[in-house]
Amino acid sequence: MALRYADTLNASAATITPRAGAEWGRGIAEATGTYSQFASGGWSTQGAVSGSLFSPTTRGFVAELASLAGGSAHHDGTRTGQVLANGRLHFMRSAGELFLGAGVGQTWVGGGSRSVILGEAGGSTTLGEIGTTLTASPALVEDSIQYLDAQLSLSWVRDRLDLGAVVGTRLGDQLTSLGGNARSWGNLTVIAWMTSRLALVASGGTYPIDPTQGFPGGRFLSASIRVATGRARAAPSTNTQQRQAETGAVEGLPAVTSFTAERTQPGLVTLRVNAPLAQLVEVSGDFTNWTPVRLERESNGSWSAAFPINRGKYQMNLRLDGGKWLVPPGLLSMLDEFGGSVGLLIIE
């Protein structure tokens, strides 16, 4: 990996970045870390632990309580840290979601600490084959530093290739004393899957100053190998007509108009998909060990099947006529370990 800190200091390093996740009930947790060994002989480590708790879906709304704790240590003795807690409200729609949140926390740089107040608002949807997320995040650091970051994230998946792009801009205080004076940033990530568990990753671009932890902005270019554990990545369909049909982009082709999960008897949950024009509807999730299961057609154009599912939180997707796996409408969309999207299904 090659880095240019504060647009003045060049460095190159070899890095390793493990990541682990856990799920229980209506909660999720994730831990990540990075160790970098610089060509100059120095080293750097950083890591974070985060988690979220979700409420049951009520009239299309899902409440989330989230927290994050992390920090970094460097060979020159410099240390940073942060603890943040925030709440979000997700408004789920068949075409995507809208969300609104706020949080507070504390950050440490060297021997000093600063309080932080954060906000966020945004939404996500799919435009054709491109997943989009737009966010606006105001921040107040120690009652003196005020700024707002607006950022657009784009993702596109095709067969064994995943593309991701981020562009953003900052309004307000710039803190050029940290190094760098750019108010906009952007980066691109390309993931080429060689097998279902092994990928080559290339990324590059710019990143902004982080006023909360005192990090300078800069540029980066990296190449890495990603090894995925857990379930294997499912390759999406390459048929354009199927992809259009799944999203309802072409009138007269099959599309999903609704999805429900209902406990019909103790120990059994019935999943029902309304897709009148489909010839085949399948679901796959951690409750099926990610094995596709065909639903049965009903007389009203719906498809359904009962599964032995206990109370808790699950990940799942569905697909029509053997096409691309989709997040069921009305479920919270999440990123899986492969960078793809899965739906969060909460069973009471």
Side-chain angles (χ1 to χ4, degrees), residues 18 45 53 71 116-117 126 170 182 196 199 275 309 333:
T45 62
L53 292 175
V116 180
I117 300 176
T126 301
R170 173 169 294 165
S196 62
I309 306 178
S333 179

Side-chain angles (χ1 to χ4, degrees), residues 282-296:
E282 298 168 288
V283 299
S284 176
D286 42 20
F287 53 86
T288 71
N289 198 27
W290 294 104
T291 299
V293 176
R294 178 173 180 167
L295 304 187
E296 297 297 325

Side-chain angles (χ1 to χ4, degrees), residues 7 10 77 136 212 221 333:
D7 294 331
N10 291 315
T212 62
L221 182 65
S333 179

Side-chain angles (χ1 to χ4, degrees), residues 50-327:
S50 61
S52 293
L53 292 175
F54 298 91
S55 72
T57 303
T58 303
R59 296 184 178 181
F61 287 92
V62 175
E64 176 189 0
L65 292 177
S67 61
L68 178 145
S72 67
H74 311 272
H75 70 280
D76 62 358
T78 304
R79 296 177 183 273
T80 70
Q82 62 176 332
V83 176
L84 303 173
N86 64 295
R88 299 186 186 95
L89 186 62
H90 303 265
F91 179 43
M92 313 308 301
R93 307 295 294 170
S94 59
E97 67 162 314
L98 300 174
F99 55 86
L100 183 68
V104 296
Q106 199 79 12
T107 67
W108 295 266
V109 182
S113 65
R114 294 183 291 187
S115 59
V116 180
I117 300 176
L118 304 172
E120 62 177 341
S124 63
T125 189
T126 301
L127 302 176
E129 299 179 357
I130 301 176
T132 66
T133 300
L134 179 63
T135 60
S137 306
L140 175 64
V141 183
E142 199 63 40
D143 298 327
S144 59
I145 305 170
Q146 304 177 42
Y147 63 93
L148 182 146
D149 287 348
Q151 184 167 284
L152 174 65
S153 301
L154 305 172
S155 62
W156 180 81
V157 178
R158 174 69 65 87
D159 300 329
R160 295 184 178 272
L161 186 66
D162 299 355
L163 300 179
V166 172
V167 292
T169 188
R170 173 169 294 165
L171 304 175
D173 296 332
Q174 188 67 358
L175 285 186
T176 55
S177 60
L178 292 177
N181 54 16
R183 286 188 173 271
S184 300
W185 61 90
N187 56 71
L188 176 67
T189 300
V190 180
I191 304 174
W193 289 93
M194 312 307 293
T195 70
S196 62
R197 300 185 186 277
L198 183 66
L200 301 179
V201 183
S203 60
T206 61
Y207 56 92
I209 293 170
D210 182 355
T212 62
Q213 297 192 80
F215 291 156
R219 308 172 187 176
F220 72 97
L221 182 65
S222 69
S224 61
I225 296 176
R226 176 178 295 180
V227 179
T229 59
R231 69 182 179 93
R233 178 185 190 269
S237 166
T238 61
N239 187 289
T240 301
Q241 187 180 42
Q242 285 180 337
R243 280 191 295 272
Q244 292 174 327
E246 291 156 353
T247 59
V250 177
E251 185 178 357
L253 294 180
V256 180
T257 59
S258 67
F259 169 82
T260 61
E262 180 183 6
R263 185 171 296 283
T264 51
Q265 55 181 293
L268 287 179
V269 173
T270 296
L271 304 184
R272 181 168 285 104
V273 177
N274 189 13
L277 300 180
Q279 300 301 311
L280 172 66
V281 177
E282 298 168 288
V283 299
S284 176
D286 42 20
F287 53 86
T288 71
N289 198 27
W290 294 104
T291 299
V293 176
R294 178 173 180 167
L295 304 187
E296 297 297 325
R297 187 197 293 268
E298 299 178 344
S299 59
N300 60 357
S302 295
W303 299 72
S304 68
F307 296 86
I309 306 178
N310 296 323
R311 293 183 58 182
K313 181 184 64 62
Y314 303 89
Q315 294 182 4
M316 68 164 295
N317 280 333
L318 63 83
R319 68 179 176 183
L320 308 182
D321 299 341
K324 180 180 176 182
W325 288 102
L326 306 170
V327 174

